[in-house]
Amino acid sequence: MSKAHFGLIGLGVMGENLVLNAESNGFSSVVYNRTYSKTAEFLDGRGLGKQITGASDLKDFVDKLERPRRILMMIKAGPAIDAVIDQISPYLQEGDLLIDGGNSEFRDTERRVLDLESRSFGFIGMGISGGAKGALEGPSMMPGGTKSSYLAIESLLSKMAAQVEDGPCVTYVGPGGSGHFVKTVHNGIEYGIEQILAEAYDLMKRICGMDCSQIADVMAQWNKTEELSSYLVEITEICLRKKDSDKEGDIVEKILDKAGQKGTGLWTVMSALELGASVPTIYAALNARVLSSMKEQRILAESILHGPSQKNLVSDNTSIDTASIMDAVVLSSIASYAQGMELLRIASNDYNYNLDMPSIAQIWKGGCIIRSRLLKRIQDAFNLNPELSNLLLDPWFSDQVNRRISGLAEVVAAAAENGVPVPCFSSTLDYLNSYRTGRLPQNLVQAMRDCFGSHTYQRVDKEGIFHTEWLS
Ligand code: 6PG
C-alpha cells in the first residue's frame, strides 16, 4: 500500500478540518488521535470515502507516512506538545518534520526547534488563523522555523491556505518561534478590534438608543467601506441580527458579559512590555476582558459608585452620531494594526527574525480573523517604505488620523460625559495625541526621578548627563 503524504495528530474540529482540507488538495493523509474511538468515528463519518486512513498507535502512524514525514500536530498548546514529541520521536528518522499548528507560546517553539533540530528532525511552529471554517476552506498560516523545513511543506501549505489576489495566505515567516510570535500578535490585534466593535455597539445602544437590528444596519454599512470592510465587522452584524432560539429577543442581549481568553492577548502585551513597544489599544482590550470577568464586583460597585453627574458637566455635548463613532472605530482599528506591526518590527530586530512586513500583511488579507481591506493599505505602506517605523506615518494612514481625530475626540468626550467606558477608544485617542506631540511632560518625570533618586537627566539645550541638587 502506498504511503500517505501527510499526517495529522489531534482530531479536534481544527484538526479534522485541516486534514480534510489537505486531502481535498490531493494530499493523502493518515490521522492519529489519543483515543482511537475518535479516529474511528471520523473515518466512518467525515473522513469516509476520502484518501484518509487511521492509525491506532504512533508507530503505526509514522510507518504509514512517506519520507520525509510531514506531521501536523493540532493539540492543546503547552505540555501536551512536549509529551507527543517525546512519544513520537523514537519512531522518527532524519529529516522528518513535526509542525505545531496550535497557539503555542513562541519561546516554547524556540526551544522545540533547537531540540528537534539537534536530533536531525525538523520543527515548524505555525500559527493558523481562521477558525473551523477557515481550517476547512483555507486559513491564513504563519509558519516559522528553519527555511529548509518550510520548503518541505511549502507546496502543501500553499494549496491549503486561503487564496487572495496576490497569492496564498502563507509565507515563510522566519526562524525559530517567529511564526507563533506573529500569530500571537495577530491575536492581540484581534482582541483590539473585537473590543473596539463592542464599544461601538455599547455607545449606539446606551447613548444613541439604538437596538441590535439598527446597530446591525450600521455594521452592514461600515462593511461596505474601504476603512472598515472586514471579517470582524461582518460577523458583528451577524451576531447582532441573531435572535434567541425561541425567537424572543436578541441572543446577544442574553449572553453573560464576561469575556474569556486563552492567553495570546496577554502574551502580546507581555512581549510589548518586555520589548518596549507601545500597544495601549491592545492592552486596553485585554484589560477590558479582565474587568469584564469581575462581574460580581461590578454589580456591587454599580450600587455604590456613580458616573459623572449631568448637572455638573461644563458642556451638554452628550450625544453622538454614528459618523463620529465610525471615526472612532476606524482610528482605533488602525491603531491596533499600527501597534501590532510596530511590535513585530521591534521584535524582528531584537530576536533577529528578519520579518518581511509586507508579506505579513499579505498573508493576513485572507483566511484569518483580522482579515480586512485595510491590510491592502498596510501592505502598500510597507512596500512603499520598508523602513516605516509606524504605520501612522504613512501618507494614507496619517490622512485618516487627521480627518477623523476630531470625531474620535467627540466620541471619547461624549462617552466620558455619559459615564460609558470606552477603553480602546480613549486609549487610542491618548496614543495618537501622545505620538503626535513633540514635547511631552516627561521632563517633569525626569526631574522627580533625579530629585528623589539622583537618576540624572539629559537636557534639550546641551549634550551630556546631568544631576541637580534639588533639595539644597
Ligand atoms: C484565530 C483565532 C483562534 C482562537 C483565538 C481565541 O486566529 O483563528 O485567534 O486562534 O479563536 O485564540 O482567543 P481567545 O480565546 O483568547 O479570545
Side-chain angles (χ1 to χ4, degrees):
M1 199 179 111
S2 65
K3 305 239 176 189
H5 297 307
F6 172 65
L8 174 105
I9 298 177
L11 282 169
V13 181
M14 290 293 285
E16 279 193 13
N17 285 355
L18 285 163
V19 80
L20 290 169
N21 177 340
E23 196 271 347
S24 71
N25 280 295
F27 294 88
S28 59
S29 305
V30 53
V31 296
Y32 170 82
N33 196 70
R34 196 157 46 99
T35 46
Y36 185 73
S37 56
K38 179 87 183 123
T39 307
E41 193 186 312
F42 173 69
L43 293 173
D44 286 344
R46 298 178 76 203
L48 197 65
K50 307 263 181 349
Q51 294 288 306
I52 302 177
T53 52
S56 54
D57 60 59
L58 284 171
K59 181 173 184 318
D60 181 34
F61 173 75
V62 170
D63 284 345
K64 284 181 166 155
L65 283 163
E66 68 178 18
R67 289 187 64 196
R69 300 179 175 95
R70 296 173 290 190
I71 299 168
L72 174 63
M73 297 182 288
M74 291 305 298
I75 52 184
K76 195 171 157 44
I81 303 279
D82 293 310
V84 169
I85 292 172
D86 286 348
Q87 288 156 19
I88 199 169
S89 43
Y91 309 118
L92 298 179
Q93 289 168 291
E94 190 177 337
D96 288 350
L97 177 63
L98 290 176
I99 307 149
D100 169 14
N103 278 332
S104 287
E105 211 273 341
F106 78 105
R107 286 198 179 89
D108 284 341
T109 305
E110 299 278 349
R111 168 175 60 76
R112 289 171 188 142
V113 169
L114 286 177
D115 172 36
L116 275 284
E117 299 222 328
S118 73
R119 296 193 262 159
S120 305
F121 308 135
F123 190 83
I124 290 279
M126 181 165 77
I128 302 180
S129 179
K133 194 163 183 283
L136 185 65
E137 294 171 5
S140 169
M141 295 193 269
M142 295 149 249
T146 52
K147 185 81 184 254
S148 54
S149 295
Y150 172 71
L151 292 176
I153 48 168
E154 187 177 35
S155 61
L156 169 76
L157 300 184
S158 301
K159 291 206 174 89
M160 287 175 71
Q163 310 291 323
V164 290
E165 74 284 356
D166 50 355
C169 293
V170 63
T171 190
Y172 172 63
V173 168
S178 61
H180 276 141
F181 189 82
V182 168
K183 176 61 180 15
T184 296
V185 175
H186 164 286
N187 282 25
I189 298 169
E190 175 185 303
Y191 275 45
I193 299 173
E194 287 169 349
Q195 173 65 23
I196 288 160
L197 293 170
E199 289 175 21
Y201 147 81
D202 206 23
L203 292 178
M204 284 189 255
K205 182 167 91 168
R206 292 170 65 187
I207 300 188
C208 306
M210 295 163 68
D211 63 21
C212 280
S213 140
Q214 290 167 317
I215 303 170
D217 290 344
V218 173
M219 294 290 160
Q221 286 308 314
W222 287 356
N223 201 27
K224 292 186 186 131
T225 63
E226 176 178 12
E227 292 89 338
L228 289 181
S229 172
S230 63
Y231 173 70
L232 282 169
V233 170
E234 180 190 322
I235 63 164
T236 303
E237 182 196 347
I238 293 171
C239 294
L240 287 166
R241 291 208 196 280
K242 193 79 178 167
K243 297 290 168 201
D244 201 358
S245 48
D246 57 11
K247 303 281 179 222
E248 287 295 314
D250 304 301
I251 181 80
V252 161
E253 298 305 343
K254 298 187 182 171
I255 295 178
L256 183 65
D257 52 327
K258 287 165 86 166
Q261 52 173 310
K262 298 199 193 76
T264 43
L266 173 67
W267 297 341
T268 304
V269 172
M270 283 167 62
S271 293
L273 294 173
E274 272 172 26
L275 291 165
S278 179
V279 297
T281 307
I282 295 173
Y283 172 67
L286 175 73
N287 193 52
R289 290 197 190 188
V290 173
L291 260 167
S292 82
S293 69
M294 301 174 180
K295 176 80 176 175
E296 294 72 22
Q297 278 192 55
R298 289 190 287 113
I299 298 277
L300 175 66
E302 194 170 35
S303 62
I304 299 172
L305 305 173
H306 305 292
S309 163
Q310 295 297 328
K311 66 179 183 314
N312 293 333
L313 294 174
V314 283
S315 95
D316 61 356
N317 183 23
T318 53
S319 76
I320 29 175
D321 56 29
T322 54
S324 302
I325 299 176
M326 179 172 168
D327 290 334
V329 172
V330 171
L331 289 191
S332 302
S333 301
I334 287 175
S336 296
Y337 284 113
Q339 292 165 18
M341 299 310 271
E342 166 90 334
L343 172 55
L344 289 180
R345 188 183 61 80
I346 294 173
S348 181
N349 288 336
D350 273 48
Y351 302 147
N352 293 318
Y353 283 161
N354 199 21
L355 300 177
D356 183 66
M357 305 301 271
S359 300
I360 291 169
Q362 194 273 335
I363 64 171
W364 286 351
K365 283 197 303 187
C368 72
I369 304 298
I370 62 167
R371 63 185 184 261
S372 66
R373 278 177 68 188
L374 266 186
L375 281 157
K376 169 81 173 80
R377 291 285 182 183
I378 297 174
Q379 185 185 10
D380 290 348
F382 284 106
N383 269 327
L384 188 69
N385 179 5
E387 305 303 318
L388 189 64
S389 52
N390 189 312
L391 200 55
L392 300 173
L393 301 176
D394 170 81
W396 190 86
F397 287 96
S398 58
D399 180 58
Q400 289 288 328
V401 172
N402 293 338
R403 283 196 289 121
R404 295 184 185 276
I405 195 161
S406 304
L408 169 63
E410 273 169 34
V411 166
V412 172
E417 288 176 350
N418 284 280
V420 176
V422 282
C424 280
F425 292 161
S426 56
S427 302
T428 299
L429 184 60
D430 279 334
Y431 172 70
L432 294 174
N433 280 333
S434 297
Y435 191 64
R436 62 173 195 83
T437 297
R439 181 160 171 84
L440 288 168
Q442 272 60 34
N443 48 331
L444 183 57
V445 173
Q446 287 293 76
M448 286 184 259
R449 291 177 67 239
D450 191 52
C451 176
F452 66 69
S454 301
H455 291 297
T456 73
Y457 56 87
Q458 291 172 283
R459 297 177 58 112
V460 292
D461 54 352
K462 52 186 171 187
E463 289 291 314
I465 303 294
F466 298 89
H467 168 65
T468 295
E469 288 301 322
W470 300 93
L471 304 177
S472 63

